Amino acid sequence: MNLIAQKLAEFSEWIWGWPLVGTILLAGILLTFFYRGKYLLHPIFHFKNTYFQIFQKDNKGKGTISGFAAACTALANTIGIGNIGGVASAVASGGPGAVFWLWVADIFGTSLKASEIILAQRYRVKFNKSIDEYVSDRSFVMKNSMGWKKGGYIVAFFVIIFGPWTNVVQSESIQSSIRQAADISSVIILGILGLSVFFTIYKGIRRISELLERVVPVMAIFYVLFGIIIMVVNADKILPSFQSIFIYAFNPAAAKGGFIGATVKESIRYGIARGIYSSDAGTGYGMVVHAPAITDHPVRQSSWGWGEIIGDLVICTVTALIVIVTDSYIKFGEAYSAELTTLAFGEVFGNFGIVLMAIIISVFGWTTIVGMYYSLSKSVNYIFGDTKFNKIATNLYIIYFLAPIVFFSNIKADLLWSITDLISGMYVLLTLVLIVGNLKEIKRLFTDFWYRYLPALNRGENPPIVSYGVLEERNEEKY
């Protein structure tokens, strides 16, 4: 196992070396200019089209669930262990400077995520026979935009086989946090986790989105409030913590206490890798979760790329400051992932903080697993199509999906993160290819929304909605 861990870590290190890191940053920067800074320079517009619309039920357009419900499914992936364990591990491995590069990855990742959402809405598929749902993912986009049907099968197979293993990070974090708080058998913890996930995902996207749009926002606010309390208690360390983030982003961080030190290269590598994992920008998940959203134009739904990144930035920053102001990454050098954040809570709140974090991590981990199942199941949909076998295969896939979560969560956290980084790297490369290959169509939709459709609405006109759906049995149909 140690040999496997070492080889995977080496390969993951190579994948996330300068070529991929540089490619991601360059793609994010170029797309930011491609969109003329619309996702960075118009925060009021995007706020009105995201969080301001949370309680609005008059969505116009065609789809399966509301735009907010789709965003909550995405946020279940975005706001979770990646924000708590991923950020903590970034600081532990790359030092405080890693936080700066995490911010950079998030800021420029906004345009990447917007591109995914536009592609999801443009090339989504309407299933009528097996499930009444609009679906999409990387494979659907490959087939419907480029005609790469066989390539779509290869990608779908890869996602089906390897996707569930990224969730072991969640179950390991849930298990370790609960065991820190109480002497409960791992068998009981994982058994309850497996059963609760099963009975949720078995009901499909409507049940999943219904739960996630209630749970995710509440838990996010809950976590941020307690994080603010920790920062208030350590108010004198907040400014030095921000200084250390900027200083060590460009200078090596020396070893101190249990912290072994970090080079600038390590800060960049861990910061960007964890930033991408926590925000899902560029991984292609946006092509999945936003496909069923009801919206009047694909580009309007892409505002949630901005909304999700903002949520990710807030929670990641809170986590980073918690770990830094309490000096937990220095005091507890052996701790990793969510365990480090839990110990930071314990520094301020004592045993209550450990129990509190066990609850927070368990809920976040659970919502991430549930959201991830929906994402992975779309690959099953692609392979079987809108047939009677699709529903059977999707239900059977639940068993394989749950197996790594329930039976392999005892793998070391650093090995799990190596596996996750490796799979995420493959997702990113494919997503970048799909975005670049469809820039012409993305630009057409982007221009149509900002310079025709939106001005017409502002003039009081009533332009026809722009909504797409590809039916399996016939050519593309525009509604």
Side-chain angles (χ1 to χ4, degrees):
M1 183 60 71
N2 289 334
L3 179 61
I4 293 174
Q6 180 184 346
K7 295 301 180 182
L8 279 176
E10 291 174 357
F11 190 54
S12 176
E13 183 75 23
W14 176 78
I15 284 289
W16 282 98
W18 284 106
L20 183 55
V21 168
T23 300
I24 294 169
L25 281 179
L26 180 61
I29 293 170
L30 291 178
L31 283 172
T32 299
F33 284 101
F34 176 81
Y35 291 123
R36 305 176 189 180
K38 293 288 189 182
Y39 294 100
L40 295 181
L41 303 178
H42 296 78
I44 296 177
F45 172 84
H46 295 299
F47 178 80
K48 288 181 178 179
N49 283 277
T50 54
Y51 295 110
F52 187 76
Q53 297 292 324
I54 287 178
F55 302 108
Q56 302 294 323
K57 300 298 182 182
D58 57 341
N59 291 317
K60 296 179 180 179
K62 291 184 178 292
T64 309
I65 57 177
S66 69
F68 173 61
C72 282
T73 306
L75 286 167
N77 290 339
T78 302
I79 301 176
I81 303 303
N83 304 89
I84 298 175
V87 175
S89 64
V91 176
S93 300
V99 181
F100 174 86
W101 296 107
L102 184 149
W103 291 339
V104 170
D106 265 7
I107 290 171
F108 290 111
T110 304
S111 296
L112 284 169
K113 198 155 207 177
S115 301
E116 296 176 41
I117 296 172
I118 293 172
L119 289 177
Q121 285 279 322
R122 176 62 181 86
Y123 295 108
R124 64 184 183 173
V125 170
K126 179 62 167 69
F127 277 21
N128 289 320
K129 300 175 183 177
S130 56
I131 52 176
D132 181 20
E133 184 182 327
Y134 284 85
V135 299
S136 184
D137 72 349
R138 307 166 193 86
S139 295
F140 284 106
V141 174
M142 288 180 71
K143 173 188 173 183
N144 296 324
S145 69
M146 300 177 172
W148 297 351
K149 185 175 181 180
K150 292 182 179 179
Y153 282 117
I154 294 173
V155 172
F157 183 77
F158 177 89
V159 172
I160 288 171
I161 297 299
F162 295 103
W165 293 88
T166 62
N167 277 318
V168 184
V169 170
Q170 320 298 330
S171 60
E172 184 278 332
S173 296
I174 291 171
Q175 180 187 205
S176 62
S177 64
I178 292 177
R179 287 181 63 82
Q180 278 182 279
D183 185 19
I184 301 176
S185 169
S186 296
V187 175
I188 295 175
I189 296 171
L190 296 174
I192 294 174
L193 174 64
L195 288 172
S196 63
V197 170
F198 173 81
F199 286 113
T200 301
I201 63 181
Y202 186 76
K203 296 291 186 178
I205 181 57
R206 289 176 177 83
R207 176 60 173 167
I208 291 172
S209 63
E210 179 185 341
L211 285 172
L212 295 183
E213 69 178 330
R214 295 177 181 177
V215 175
V216 172
V218 173
M219 288 307 300
I221 294 171
F222 188 73
Y223 177 71
V224 169
L225 288 177
F226 276 93
I228 291 174
I229 293 174
I230 292 177
M231 285 183 274
V232 170
V233 172
N234 296 275
D236 60 316
K237 296 182 179 180
I238 293 178
L239 181 58
S241 295
F242 273 107
Q243 290 175 335
S244 67
I245 290 172
F246 286 100
I247 290 172
Y248 295 123
F250 304 97
N251 296 280
K256 185 178 181 182
F259 176 59
I260 62 174
T263 63
V264 174
K265 181 180 179 180
E266 288 172 328
S267 292
I268 298 174
R269 177 254 191 271
Y270 287 106
I272 293 178
R274 297 295 178 261
I276 290 172
Y277 179 76
S278 67
S279 69
D280 280 338
T283 60
Y285 287 122
M287 297 182 192
V288 184
V289 295
H290 287 277
I294 300 171
T295 183
D296 61 344
H297 198 289
V299 178
R300 187 185 299 280
Q301 184 64 20
S302 73
S303 283
W304 273 109
W306 175 91
E308 292 164 22
I309 293 292
I310 291 298
D312 181 68
L313 272 171
V314 171
I315 296 183
C316 284
T317 302
V318 168
T319 299
L321 290 175
I322 288 171
V323 172
I324 297 173
V325 299
T326 59
D327 290 328
S328 296
Y329 76 105
I330 296 174
K331 296 176 183 176
F332 310 106
E334 296 298 319
Y336 204 76
S337 193
E339 181 186 2
L340 185 56
T341 312
T342 300
L343 291 170
F345 263 70
E347 286 286 288
V348 176
F349 299 111
N351 289 332
F352 169 74
I354 294 176
V355 173
L356 180 65
M357 274 304 298
I359 296 172
I360 292 174
I361 289 172
S362 296
V363 175
F364 274 152
W366 182 85
T367 56
T368 299
I369 292 171
V370 169
M372 185 63 70
Y373 167 75
Y374 175 74
S375 298
L376 301 180
S377 69
K378 298 307 103 182
S379 291
V380 179
N381 295 159
Y382 179 83
I383 289 179
F384 289 92
D386 193 13
T387 66
K388 62 181 181 180
F389 299 106
N390 177 52
K391 194 168 185 178
I392 297 172
T394 304
N395 290 335
L396 289 175
Y397 183 61
I398 295 176
I399 298 173
Y400 176 73
F401 174 81
L402 291 174
I405 299 168
V406 175
F407 298 110
F408 294 94
S409 63
N410 60 338
I411 301 175
K412 291 183 178 179
D414 53 351
L415 174 58
L416 294 177
W417 280 111
S418 294
I419 295 172
T420 300
D421 285 347
L422 181 60
I423 296 174
S424 296
M426 298 298 183
Y427 287 163
V428 168
L429 289 173
L430 175 59
T431 301
L432 291 178
V433 169
L434 293 176
I435 291 173
V436 172
N438 288 285
L439 279 178
K440 183 177 180 180
E441 182 63 9
I442 291 174
K443 183 178 181 180
R444 184 187 72 80
L445 289 169
F446 175 81
T447 303
D448 178 71
F449 177 75
W450 283 98
Y451 302 105
R452 180 195 68 83
Y453 187 81
L454 194 59
L457 287 178
N458 293 335
R459 290 192 300 267
E461 300 174 13
N462 190 28
I465 62 171
V466 180
S467 182
Y468 295 89
V470 180
L471 303 183
E472 285 288 281
E473 64 270 19
R474 59 179 184 263
N475 293 328
E476 178 183 286
E477 177 175 310
K478 184 175 179 180
Y479 298 94

PDB file of all heavy atoms in Angstrom, residues 71-100:
ATOM      1  N   ALA A  71     -28.239  24.861  -9.007  1.00  0.00           N
ATOM      2  CA  ALA A  71     -27.051  25.453  -8.394  1.00  0.00           C
ATOM      3  C   ALA A  71     -26.740  24.799  -7.052  1.00  0.00           C
ATOM      4  O   ALA A  71     -25.574  24.598  -6.703  1.00  0.00           O
ATOM      5  CB  ALA A  71     -27.245  26.950  -8.218  1.00  0.00           C
ATOM      6  N   CYS A  72     -27.786  24.457  -6.276  1.00  0.00           N
ATOM      7  CA  CYS A  72     -27.566  23.801  -4.983  1.00  0.00           C
ATOM      8  C   CYS A  72     -26.977  22.414  -5.165  1.00  0.00           C
ATOM      9  O   CYS A  72     -26.175  21.954  -4.349  1.00  0.00           O
ATOM     10  CB  CYS A  72     -28.871  23.715  -4.193  1.00  0.00           C
ATOM     11  SG  CYS A  72     -29.321  25.263  -3.410  1.00  0.00           S
ATOM     12  N   THR A  73     -27.376  21.730  -6.245  1.00  0.00           N
ATOM     13  CA  THR A  73     -26.765  20.438  -6.552  1.00  0.00           C
ATOM     14  C   THR A  73     -25.286  20.637  -6.865  1.00  0.00           C
ATOM     15  O   THR A  73     -24.438  19.848  -6.450  1.00  0.00           O
ATOM     16  CB  THR A  73     -27.475  19.783  -7.748  1.00  0.00           C
ATOM     17  OG1 THR A  73     -28.875  19.717  -7.497  1.00  0.00           O
ATOM     18  CG2 THR A  73     -26.952  18.372  -7.976  1.00  0.00           C
ATOM     19  N   ALA A  74     -24.989  21.713  -7.591  1.00  0.00           N
ATOM     20  CA  ALA A  74     -23.590  22.035  -7.878  1.00  0.00           C
ATOM     21  C   ALA A  74     -22.857  22.451  -6.605  1.00  0.00           C
ATOM     22  O   ALA A  74     -21.716  22.059  -6.372  1.00  0.00           O
ATOM     23  CB  ALA A  74     -23.513  23.149  -8.917  1.00  0.00           C
ATOM     24  N   LEU A  75     -23.529  23.269  -5.779  1.00  0.00           N
ATOM     25  CA  LEU A  75     -22.916  23.727  -4.537  1.00  0.00           C
ATOM     26  C   LEU A  75     -22.671  22.572  -3.572  1.00  0.00           C
ATOM     27  O   LEU A  75     -21.789  22.648  -2.714  1.00  0.00           O
ATOM     28  CB  LEU A  75     -23.794  24.782  -3.877  1.00  0.00           C
ATOM     29  CG  LEU A  75     -23.782  26.160  -4.550  1.00  0.00           C
ATOM     30  CD1 LEU A  75     -24.914  27.030  -4.012  1.00  0.00           C
ATOM     31  CD2 LEU A  75     -22.438  26.848  -4.338  1.00  0.00           C
ATOM     32  N   ALA A  76     -23.459  21.498  -3.686  1.00  0.00           N
ATOM     33  CA  ALA A  76     -23.214  20.321  -2.854  1.00  0.00           C
ATOM     34  C   ALA A  76     -21.840  19.748  -3.154  1.00  0.00           C
ATOM     35  O   ALA A  76     -21.141  19.243  -2.264  1.00  0.00           O
ATOM     36  CB  ALA A  76     -24.295  19.262  -3.107  1.00  0.00           C
ATOM     37  N   ASN A  77     -21.427  19.822  -4.445  1.00  0.00           N
ATOM     38  CA  ASN A  77     -20.079  19.418  -4.813  1.00  0.00           C
ATOM     39  C   ASN A  77     -19.055  20.483  -4.437  1.00  0.00           C
ATOM     40  O   ASN A  77     -17.937  20.189  -4.017  1.00  0.00           O
ATOM     41  CB  ASN A  77     -19.994  19.170  -6.322  1.00  0.00           C
ATOM     42  CG  ASN A  77     -20.739  17.933  -6.757  1.00  0.00           C
ATOM     43  OD1 ASN A  77     -21.003  17.031  -5.961  1.00  0.00           O
ATOM     44  ND2 ASN A  77     -21.090  17.865  -8.021  1.00  0.00           N
ATOM     45  N   THR A  78     -19.464  21.752  -4.614  1.00  0.00           N
ATOM     46  CA  THR A  78     -18.538  22.863  -4.387  1.00  0.00           C
ATOM     47  C   THR A  78     -18.285  23.123  -2.906  1.00  0.00           C
ATOM     48  O   THR A  78     -17.145  23.266  -2.468  1.00  0.00           O
ATOM     49  CB  THR A  78     -19.106  24.143  -5.037  1.00  0.00           C
ATOM     50  OG1 THR A  78     -19.305  23.906  -6.426  1.00  0.00           O
ATOM     51  CG2 THR A  78     -18.165  25.307  -4.859  1.00  0.00           C
ATOM     52  N   ILE A  79     -19.394  23.228  -2.130  1.00  0.00           N
ATOM     53  CA  ILE A  79     -19.263  23.526  -0.705  1.00  0.00           C
ATOM     54  C   ILE A  79     -19.306  22.222   0.077  1.00  0.00           C
ATOM     55  O   ILE A  79     -20.375  21.657   0.272  1.00  0.00           O
ATOM     56  CB  ILE A  79     -20.387  24.465  -0.234  1.00  0.00           C
ATOM     57  CG1 ILE A  79     -20.336  25.761  -1.035  1.00  0.00           C
ATOM     58  CG2 ILE A  79     -20.275  24.758   1.250  1.00  0.00           C
ATOM     59  CD1 ILE A  79     -21.454  26.727  -0.715  1.00  0.00           C
ATOM     60  N   GLY A  80     -18.174  21.762   0.481  1.00  0.00           N
ATOM     61  CA  GLY A  80     -18.103  20.484   1.177  1.00  0.00           C
ATOM     62  C   GLY A  80     -16.718  20.237   1.748  1.00  0.00           C
ATOM     63  O   GLY A  80     -16.030  21.156   2.195  1.00  0.00           O
ATOM     64  N   ILE A  81     -16.311  18.975   1.703  1.00  0.00           N
ATOM     65  CA  ILE A  81     -15.015  18.596   2.265  1.00  0.00           C
ATOM     66  C   ILE A  81     -13.873  19.297   1.542  1.00  0.00           C
ATOM     67  O   ILE A  81     -12.814  19.550   2.119  1.00  0.00           O
ATOM     68  CB  ILE A  81     -14.829  17.068   2.197  1.00  0.00           C
ATOM     69  CG1 ILE A  81     -15.984  16.363   2.921  1.00  0.00           C
ATOM     70  CG2 ILE A  81     -13.506  16.666   2.826  1.00  0.00           C
ATOM     71  CD1 ILE A  81     -16.151  16.763   4.366  1.00  0.00           C
ATOM     72  N   GLY A  82     -14.088  19.616   0.254  1.00  0.00           N
ATOM     73  CA  GLY A  82     -13.048  20.343  -0.469  1.00  0.00           C
ATOM     74  C   GLY A  82     -12.750  21.681   0.173  1.00  0.00           C
ATOM     75  O   GLY A  82     -11.611  22.134   0.198  1.00  0.00           O
ATOM     76  N   ASN A  83     -13.788  22.344   0.698  1.00  0.00           N
ATOM     77  CA  ASN A  83     -13.608  23.635   1.358  1.00  0.00           C
ATOM     78  C   ASN A  83     -13.019  23.493   2.751  1.00  0.00           C
ATOM     79  O   ASN A  83     -12.362  24.405   3.252  1.00  0.00           O
ATOM     80  CB  ASN A  83     -14.956  24.353   1.486  1.00  0.00           C
ATOM     81  CG  ASN A  83     -15.647  24.521   0.156  1.00  0.00           C
ATOM     82  OD1 ASN A  83     -16.389  23.643  -0.254  1.00  0.00           O
ATOM     83  ND2 ASN A  83     -15.402  25.615  -0.517  1.00  0.00           N
ATOM     84  N   ILE A  84     -13.312  22.383   3.411  1.00  0.00           N
ATOM     85  CA  ILE A  84     -12.860  22.189   4.788  1.00  0.00           C
ATOM     86  C   ILE A  84     -11.565  21.378   4.830  1.00  0.00           C
ATOM     87  O   ILE A  84     -10.539  21.825   5.320  1.00  0.00           O
ATOM     88  CB  ILE A  84     -13.953  21.485   5.616  1.00  0.00           C
ATOM     89  CG1 ILE A  84     -15.211  22.364   5.659  1.00  0.00           C
ATOM     90  CG2 ILE A  84     -13.463  21.203   7.034  1.00  0.00           C
ATOM     91  CD1 ILE A  84     -16.381  21.714   6.344  1.00  0.00           C
ATOM     92  N   GLY A  85     -11.635  20.153   4.293  1.00  0.00           N
ATOM     93  CA  GLY A  85     -10.446  19.307   4.292  1.00  0.00           C
ATOM     94  C   GLY A  85      -9.449  19.698   3.231  1.00  0.00           C
ATOM     95  O   GLY A  85      -8.240  19.697   3.463  1.00  0.00           O
ATOM     96  N   GLY A  86      -9.950  20.056   2.033  1.00  0.00           N
ATOM     97  CA  GLY A  86      -9.053  20.396   0.935  1.00  0.00           C
ATOM     98  C   GLY A  86      -8.223  21.636   1.211  1.00  0.00           C
ATOM     99  O   GLY A  86      -7.020  21.661   0.964  1.00  0.00           O
ATOM    100  N   VAL A  87      -8.855  22.664   1.737  1.00  0.00           N
ATOM    101  CA  VAL A  87      -8.138  23.904   2.051  1.00  0.00           C
ATOM    102  C   VAL A  87      -7.146  23.675   3.193  1.00  0.00           C
ATOM    103  O   VAL A  87      -6.016  24.172   3.160  1.00  0.00           O
ATOM    104  CB  VAL A  87      -9.120  25.032   2.418  1.00  0.00           C
ATOM    105  CG1 VAL A  87      -8.374  26.278   2.867  1.00  0.00           C
ATOM    106  CG2 VAL A  87     -10.003  25.362   1.228  1.00  0.00           C
ATOM    107  N   ALA A  88      -7.575  22.922   4.192  1.00  0.00           N
ATOM    108  CA  ALA A  88      -6.682  22.624   5.316  1.00  0.00           C
ATOM    109  C   ALA A  88      -5.452  21.866   4.840  1.00  0.00           C
ATOM    110  O   ALA A  88      -4.321  22.148   5.250  1.00  0.00           O
ATOM    111  CB  ALA A  88      -7.424  21.826   6.386  1.00  0.00           C
ATOM    112  N   SER A  89      -5.648  20.894   3.945  1.00  0.00           N
ATOM    113  CA  SER A  89      -4.511  20.123   3.429  1.00  0.00           C
ATOM    114  C   SER A  89      -3.621  20.989   2.545  1.00  0.00           C
ATOM    115  O   SER A  89      -2.399  20.777   2.494  1.00  0.00           O
ATOM    116  CB  SER A  89      -5.007  18.901   2.648  1.00  0.00           C
ATOM    117  OG  SER A  89      -5.723  19.282   1.499  1.00  0.00           O
ATOM    118  N   ALA A  90      -4.218  21.976   1.856  1.00  0.00           N
ATOM    119  CA  ALA A  90      -3.419  22.890   1.037  1.00  0.00           C
ATOM    120  C   ALA A  90      -2.482  23.711   1.915  1.00  0.00           C
ATOM    121  O   ALA A  90      -1.310  23.901   1.589  1.00  0.00           O
ATOM    122  CB  ALA A  90      -4.336  23.814   0.237  1.00  0.00           C
ATOM    123  N   VAL A  91      -2.998  24.198   3.047  1.00  0.00           N
ATOM    124  CA  VAL A  91      -2.171  24.970   3.982  1.00  0.00           C
ATOM    125  C   VAL A  91      -1.121  24.074   4.616  1.00  0.00           C
ATOM    126  O   VAL A  91       0.042  24.476   4.776  1.00  0.00           O
ATOM    127  CB  VAL A  91      -3.046  25.617   5.078  1.00  0.00           C
ATOM    128  CG1 VAL A  91      -2.173  26.327   6.112  1.00  0.00           C
ATOM    129  CG2 VAL A  91      -4.026  26.610   4.454  1.00  0.00           C
ATOM    130  N   ALA A  92      -1.508  22.852   4.983  1.00  0.00           N
ATOM    131  CA  ALA A  92      -0.569  21.925   5.627  1.00  0.00           C
ATOM    132  C   ALA A  92       0.569  21.539   4.686  1.00  0.00           C
ATOM    133  O   ALA A  92       1.707  21.346   5.121  1.00  0.00           O
ATOM    134  CB  ALA A  92      -1.310  20.674   6.097  1.00  0.00           C
ATOM    135  N   SER A  93       0.279  21.429   3.375  1.00  0.00           N
ATOM    136  CA  SER A  93       1.290  20.992   2.409  1.00  0.00           C
ATOM    137  C   SER A  93       1.990  22.154   1.707  1.00  0.00           C
ATOM    138  O   SER A  93       3.173  22.054   1.387  1.00  0.00           O
ATOM    139  CB  SER A  93       0.645  20.088   1.349  1.00  0.00           C
ATOM    140  OG  SER A  93       0.063  18.952   1.928  1.00  0.00           O
ATOM    141  N   GLY A  94       1.263  23.225   1.454  1.00  0.00           N
ATOM    142  CA  GLY A  94       1.835  24.339   0.702  1.00  0.00           C
ATOM    143  C   GLY A  94       2.047  25.600   1.499  1.00  0.00           C
ATOM    144  O   GLY A  94       2.529  26.603   0.965  1.00  0.00           O
ATOM    145  N   GLY A  95       1.688  25.571   2.802  1.00  0.00           N
ATOM    146  CA  GLY A  95       1.849  26.749   3.640  1.00  0.00           C
ATOM    147  C   GLY A  95       0.756  27.775   3.389  1.00  0.00           C
ATOM    148  O   GLY A  95      -0.096  27.599   2.512  1.00  0.00           O
ATOM    149  N   PRO A  96       0.760  28.875   4.137  1.00  0.00           N
ATOM    150  CA  PRO A  96      -0.266  29.921   3.970  1.00  0.00           C
ATOM    151  C   PRO A  96      -0.337  30.474   2.559  1.00  0.00           C
ATOM    152  O   PRO A  96      -1.405  30.896   2.092  1.00  0.00           O
ATOM    153  CB  PRO A  96       0.178  30.997   4.966  1.00  0.00           C
ATOM    154  CG  PRO A  96       0.970  30.265   5.993  1.00  0.00           C
ATOM    155  CD  PRO A  96       1.688  29.186   5.247  1.00  0.00           C
ATOM    156  N   GLY A  97       0.776  30.484   1.839  1.00  0.00           N
ATOM    157  CA  GLY A  97       0.800  31.019   0.479  1.00  0.00           C
ATOM    158  C   GLY A  97      -0.113  30.275  -0.474  1.00  0.00           C
ATOM    159  O   GLY A  97      -0.549  30.825  -1.489  1.00  0.00           O
ATOM    160  N   ALA A  98      -0.420  29.016  -0.161  1.00  0.00           N
ATOM    161  CA  ALA A  98      -1.300  28.228  -1.026  1.00  0.00           C
ATOM    162  C   ALA A  98      -2.687  28.863  -1.123  1.00  0.00           C
ATOM    163  O   ALA A  98      -3.380  28.709  -2.129  1.00  0.00           O
ATOM    164  CB  ALA A  98      -1.405  26.802  -0.495  1.00  0.00           C
ATOM    165  N   VAL A  99      -3.077  29.582  -0.092  1.00  0.00           N
ATOM    166  CA  VAL A  99      -4.398  30.211  -0.078  1.00  0.00           C
ATOM    167  C   VAL A  99      -4.499  31.264  -1.179  1.00  0.00           C
ATOM    168  O   VAL A  99      -5.531  31.397  -1.845  1.00  0.00           O
ATOM    169  CB  VAL A  99      -4.685  30.849   1.297  1.00  0.00           C
ATOM    170  CG1 VAL A  99      -6.072  31.495   1.320  1.00  0.00           C
ATOM    171  CG2 VAL A  99      -4.571  29.803   2.395  1.00  0.00           C
ATOM    172  N   PHE A 100      -3.430  32.019  -1.384  1.00  0.00           N
ATOM    173  CA  PHE A 100      -3.419  33.036  -2.436  1.00  0.00           C
ATOM    174  C   PHE A 100      -3.670  32.397  -3.796  1.00  0.00           C
ATOM    175  O   PHE A 100      -4.476  32.897  -4.589  1.00  0.00           O
ATOM    176  CB  PHE A 100      -2.080  33.774  -2.447  1.00  0.00           C
ATOM    177  CG  PHE A 100      -1.923  34.740  -3.594  1.00  0.00           C
ATOM    178  CD1 PHE A 100      -2.403  36.029  -3.493  1.00  0.00           C
ATOM    179  CD2 PHE A 100      -1.293  34.344  -4.772  1.00  0.00           C
ATOM    180  CE1 PHE A 100      -2.268  36.928  -4.549  1.00  0.00           C
ATOM    181  CE2 PHE A 100      -1.147  35.230  -5.825  1.00  0.00           C
ATOM    182  CZ  PHE A 100      -1.642  36.526  -5.725  1.00  0.00           C
TER     183      PHE A 100
END
